[in-house]
Amino acid sequence: MSTYLLSKNNEKLPLVSIITPSYNRAWIIQRCIDCIRGQTYPSIEHIVVDGGSTDETLEILKKNQSSYNLRWISEKDNGMYDAINKGIKLATGKIVAYLNTDDFYFPYTVELAVQKFLQDETISLVYGDWVTYYQATGF
């Protein structure tokens, strides 16, 4: 159980929509999915907007779509920002974020961000520092 839990009644927590733009990211998208699925904050929808991948990305999305609140589309787009804008249009959450396929949140990141929004209704943007992590595999 999280030490940052905001409420035991998940129905009262605002939905967070996390948008992930993607194109031929089979080599990393599972780690992104695992990052979102592993959040301590329970009220999340994850929207992956894929630009028509030709690698194994779509198979990975299909494999994961029933394991948590994941929605995805795959169609040609005009790049990352077009994909993010498409995702925002699909989002139903009160709070919207985006996460690239090769970036990751700590397990408590979404929960802490929501906590800040709930503490002060005048806040319209929450951001934090980052940690750079290099693996021996080169990515």
Side-chain angles (χ1 to χ4, degrees):
M1 181 177 326
S2 168
T3 57
Y4 303 104
L5 201 55
L6 300 168
S7 169
K8 293 186 182 205
N9 182 356
N10 295 345
E11 295 174 350
K12 292 186 178 181
L13 296 174
L15 179 65
V16 175
S17 299
I18 300 174
I19 314 302
T20 299
S22 174
Y23 180 69
N24 286 340
R25 305 298 280 177
W27 64 277
I28 194 69
I29 198 163
Q30 186 64 55
R31 289 191 60 195
C32 179
I33 288 168
D34 292 342
C35 166
I36 301 301
R37 191 171 39 205
Q39 289 296 301
T40 58
Y41 187 77
S43 186
I44 294 174
E45 71 175 350
H46 188 193
I47 302 168
V48 176
V49 182
D50 180 78
S53 289
T54 56
D55 65 359
E56 306 299 315
T57 300
L58 301 183
E59 286 76 19
I60 294 167
L61 292 171
K62 289 174 188 174
K63 179 183 83 173
N64 285 280
Q65 67 188 7
S66 64
S67 67
Y68 74 115
N69 193 7
L70 169 66
R71 291 188 295 139
W72 61 274
I73 60 169
S74 181
E75 60 189 27
K76 296 281 185 200
D77 58 39
N78 292 315
M80 180 175 86
Y81 299 107
D82 183 38
I84 293 168
N85 285 327
K86 285 181 182 183
I88 290 170
K89 289 177 185 174
L90 294 170
T92 61
K94 184 173 182 179
I95 299 169
V96 177
Y98 93 92
L99 183 68
N100 291 319
T101 55
D102 59 352
D103 294 332
F104 311 101
Y105 293 147
F106 289 111
Y108 48 82
T109 297
V110 174
E111 190 168 0
L112 287 177
V114 172
Q115 188 175 42
K116 292 299 178 188
F117 281 119
L118 294 178
Q119 286 173 350
D120 184 347
E121 292 182 7
T122 65
I123 292 175
S124 59
L125 175 71
V126 173
Y127 66 94
D129 290 329
W130 68 88
V131 175
T132 302
Y133 175 72
Y134 295 100
Q135 287 188 266
T137 58
F139 65 84

